[in-house]
Each structure stands twice: as C-alpha cells, then as structure tokens.
Amino acid sequence: MTLTKDQIREALRAVMHPSGEDIVERGCVMNIAVCDEHASVRVCMTQGDPGAPQPAREQLAKVGAVIDSCVRAAAKEQGIEDLGLIVDFVDHQGEVVMKLKGDAKTGGAGASKREGQQTPQNKDATGVPGVRHIIAVGAGKGGVGKSTVAVNLAVGLAKKGHAVGLLDGDIYGPSLPTMMGLQSHDQVVIEGALQPFFVHGVKCITMGKLVDTDKPLIWRGPMAHGAFNQLIERTQWGELDYLIIDLPPGTGDVPLTLAQSVQLAGAVVVCTPQKVAQDDAVRASGMFESLGVEVLGVVENMSFFIGDDGKEYDIFGRGGAQTMAQRLGHPFLGAVPINMALRQNSDSGDPSANFEPERAGGDALPRALRGMVDQFEAQVTLSQMSRGSGKPTLSIS
Ligand code: ADP
C-alpha cells in the first residue's frame, strides 16, 4: 500500500489559507514527496504575497496539525495506519521556518517493502568513512545529460549548505574537468592522499586530472574497477553529507561493477523524454534494482525548450520520462529544460551560474534545478526513514 502525491495534494485541498482559498489553490504547496509509508510536504503560507509577514509559530502549528490530520486520513483510506509525515513551512527563499514531524511505527503488515533492499548484494562493497550518503547518478546511455545532472545536483546541494563531494566515475570520458572548470588546477597529493578540488562549494575528484585525456583510455573492466576504487578510497574527502558519483553511461560490465563496488544509499536515473531513451533508462533502473540499490528518482533532462517568444516547446515529447518513472513506481525528481545558458555554463565550467536567473537565461532553469534538489533531498530523507533509520518522533521545532 502506498500513498501517491496526487492523493496527498487532494487531501491538502481541505486545508484553508486565511485568504479563503485552500492552500493548493493558493499555490502554497511547494513540494510533496512520498516513499512507502512516509511523506513530506513543503508549504509556503505567504506564497503569492512576498510582502506578507510570516504567520506566528502558533498559527503555523495549527495549520500543520490540520495538514497532518488530512494527510493521515487519506493515508488511512489507502490502508496505511501509521504514516510518517514531515511538514516543512518555508519562506520565500525556501528557508525552513518551522518543521513538524509526525511519528511512524515500523514492522507489522505495513513494514516497508524496501527494508530488505538496503544492503547492496556485494558484501565487499566499501563505504567511505565520514560520508553519510553515497549516491550514484546513472543513465541508460550517453549524451542524455547524466554528468550535467550530477554536477548541478552537487552544486545545488552545496548551495543549500550541505557538505558535498562529486566523483567523476565516468573514467572513460570524464566531464568534470570541463564542467567544474578544473583546467587550470593541478592535482595535489599529500602523503599518498588525493586532495579533492574545492570549486563551486563542492569537493570533486576526476580521473581527467590524473591521466592524459587526449589519449584514449583502453582499460579493461578490472583496471577500470581498480582505478575507480582508488579514486574513492585514496581521496581525502573529510566529512560529507553527500558524495555524488557520476557513473559511466549504460548498463554494461563497467557501470555495473562500479555501482556494485561502493555502498550506495541510492541512485538517480537521468533520461530524456523520447521512447528510445526511456527504454535505456528502464534498463538502468533494472541494473540498480538488481544490485539492491534503491532508485531514489528519475530526472527528465531536455524536457522542453523555452523560445525567445516565451513559449514552451516540447521538442522531445515532454513528460515521457515522468510517465516511465510512474510506470516503474519511482519518484519523479523533476524536469530540466533545454537551455542554452546551461550548455554554455557547462562548457565554461561555471555551474554556479545555472542557479542565478541573470546568468541562466531567466528563472526557469534555476527554478527547475532547485526543485530537483529539493525533491532529491526529500527522497533521501524518506528513504532513510522507510529503512528505519532516522525515524521521526512527534515534535514541533
Ligand atoms: P552525459 O553525461 O549523459 O553523456 P552530458 O551531461 O555530458 O551527458 O551532456 C551532454 C551535452 O549536452 C553537454 O554539452 C551538456 O552541456 C549538454 N546538455 C545537457 N543537458 C542539457 C540541457 N538541459 N540543456 C542544454 N544543454 C544540455
């Protein structure tokens, strides 16, 4: 039994805003994420009225309690007796002003279907000391924007205050030197430990700075595996909230072996909307699942294009990857538009610019990227909760 985002959205229509509209109609519901019997809702009560003062904490607590009871009632209708619910109230900048957490029990008939999936099948897989979540970004084939998503996810998480590492696991075709602007940097090694580059708020490491990228890398599987492991293990990462790994494209021997060799908390699958790309993404998702790695969500890249006339053009058939995600039961993390500034900022190694409307060709790209990062964060939290770690207790803070 699971609750869908649409069912939660419907339930939230019963929650009224002081203006007389319901909070969904008013546009106050910024984000909904669901994972098994756990859900999170992000609400901005002053949405549409930037000048309005934040409601007092007591008022927010009251609204939170109504949200909690409405969503819980909808969950009950779906047979979920004990929902884990987080309600975040945010201001216009997306800063959390109050967090409300509802308790959830585990076990019994409602136990999470993902509980058995938390350990990768490969018992030799290594964790990285001091790193909380290791997340792989994969794609069924090359050129769909996997590295672009990995880079912007890492930079977006760093912008939200997380300690983030980014590992270029695409050892045959490393993109990080260009996309993160590492050309003029030299790799530093201290007492045998690789020192990650610290750029755009992210610690990153790439094979592209250790080998001559003009020459083709003709490593066979085991050599690629060894090089990848050395990149992970010999880098002095320090304490990290997230280590994002940009995997090689496809589902062949190399991405499979690499995904298997490290203890992943989850994976993100990147896909463009076309049918052929979806078929490959289904295989990528199957690869992660066969390794016991939870797919935290799908990102639809090159979803649509905004012309100079301001119109949105669905060049590749917008929504295709979203439909595929729904069909496979994976969360949808968001749609990234085709955007010339994104391509230029990637080529010039300035991903931070993608988050600034004046350097991102308008607000559409920063909004899409921030939405993707928010959804990703929510899914990581929910996934942890559904596995029984970091379970919430009833508290208002
Ligand atoms: P992959 O890692 O899947 O091979 P990349 O992330 O390297 O793909 O992207 C391939 C090329 O497409 C890069 O030049 C990148 O800048 C560009 N690109 C990716 N996504 C977009 C987008 N949404 N809008 C414009 N250009 C994009």
Side-chain angles (χ1 to χ4, degrees), residues 142-148 179 301-302 336-339 342-343 346:
V144 297
K146 173 183 55 58
S147 301
T148 305
M179 288 191 177
N301 187 35
M302 309 194 197
V336 180
I338 301 170
N339 181 298
L342 174 58
R343 204 269 305 147
S346 298

Side-chain angles (χ1 to χ4, degrees), residues 6-19:
D6 286 344
Q7 285 162 340
I8 294 180
R9 195 175 299 279
E10 269 319 296
L12 292 173
R13 289 190 185 279
V15 184
M16 300 312 288
H17 186 268
S19 65

